[in-house]
Amino acid sequence: LGDQKHPCSNHCMFCFIDQLPPGMRESLYFKDDDERLSFLFGNYITMTNIDDHELDRIIRRKVSPLFVSVQCTDPDMRVKLLRNPNAAKIMDNLRLLKANGIRFHAQMVLCPGWNDGEHLRRSIEDLMDIGFNSCSIVPVGLTKSRKGLARLEPVTKEKAGEIIDLVDEYGAKCLEKYGTRMFFCADEFYIKAERPLPDEEYY
């Protein structure tokens, strides 16, 4: 980058780096949240550490596409998930980027009891409204090294099936309207739900 990497300013309750065991190489514990790494390597960013000056630079330099960890579009719930008041501005930032020709791919880490159900439905509808390239829905990953962290439940077989059905409901609408499903569940959901993986044509 020729510059210092931009660190993450969040304290996400599902952060995988917080769940790493001790004693691994130091670089694994660095939390990056850098739009340049997003553009160059596809790293997902939350945009909570991007101010108006950085947004203007992204727009002027056409830094596109970006990969954005949306998690949830409801401002209050996103603040709870990321534990950062700046998380509430996600839709304003995405609309600004879209209006200025910046493309993006989205991701949502599904945490049962938090951003599933009606929150997931709202998030999908919000993202459909502004337009984007794709959105992956992935299950929260939990390790045995979660000491002192927020209590989170793993995705069950029933929950996995529920998520697949909801995502497919909207995917069918997007396919008819836009020619692409836009929303895709990670393979782990199908494995957990004991359902066959979609064929190539689905994607």
Side-chain angles (χ1 to χ4, degrees), residues 40-197:
L40 290 170
F41 302 116
N43 292 19
Y44 280 94
I45 57 173
T46 64
M47 302 188 72
T48 57
N49 63 353
I50 295 179
D51 57 20
D52 291 341
H53 174 70
E54 276 305 304
L55 280 172
D56 183 60
R57 285 181 59 184
I58 290 171
I59 292 167
R60 283 189 292 105
R61 298 182 178 184
K62 301 298 180 186
V63 181
S64 176
L66 291 175
F67 295 77
V68 183
S69 284
V70 175
Q71 319 308 13
C72 185
T73 59
D74 176 81
D76 293 335
M77 180 54 71
R78 194 167 192 263
V79 167
K80 289 177 182 177
L81 288 167
L82 274 59
R83 296 179 177 176
N84 186 331
N86 288 333
K89 300 185 294 185
I90 184 63
M91 290 304 294
D92 291 338
N93 288 341
L94 292 180
R95 289 190 181 100
L96 177 63
L97 293 178
K98 181 66 176 179
N100 286 276
I102 305 300
R103 296 175 292 115
F104 64 90
H105 299 273
Q107 174 184 261
M108 288 187 273
V109 176
L110 201 289
C111 300
W114 292 88
N115 59 343
D116 55 348
E118 289 306 309
H119 281 294
L120 178 58
R121 192 175 290 275
R122 172 181 171 173
S123 296
I124 290 175
E125 291 176 355
D126 285 345
L127 291 175
M128 284 174 63
D129 285 343
I130 62 173
F132 61 101
N133 285 43
S134 69
C135 179
S136 59
I137 293 89
V138 303
V140 62
L142 304 175
T143 78
K144 62 183 179 181
S145 299
R146 285 190 59 80
K147 295 180 177 64
L149 301 178
R151 180 175 176 80
L152 291 174
E153 298 296 330
V155 174
T156 62
K157 177 182 177 180
E158 293 73 21
K159 176 61 68 175
E162 174 189 315
I163 298 303
I164 292 171
D165 292 341
L166 191 153
V167 171
D168 276 350
E169 173 191 336
Y170 283 98
K173 295 177 182 178
C174 291
L175 185 62
E176 182 177 350
K177 187 173 182 179
Y178 304 110
T180 172
R181 294 183 185 276
M182 288 190 179
F183 299 93
F184 301 93
C185 284
D187 291 353
E188 290 92 336
F189 281 110
Y190 294 95
I191 295 169
K192 195 73 177 179
E194 297 180 6
R195 297 188 185 184
L197 296 175

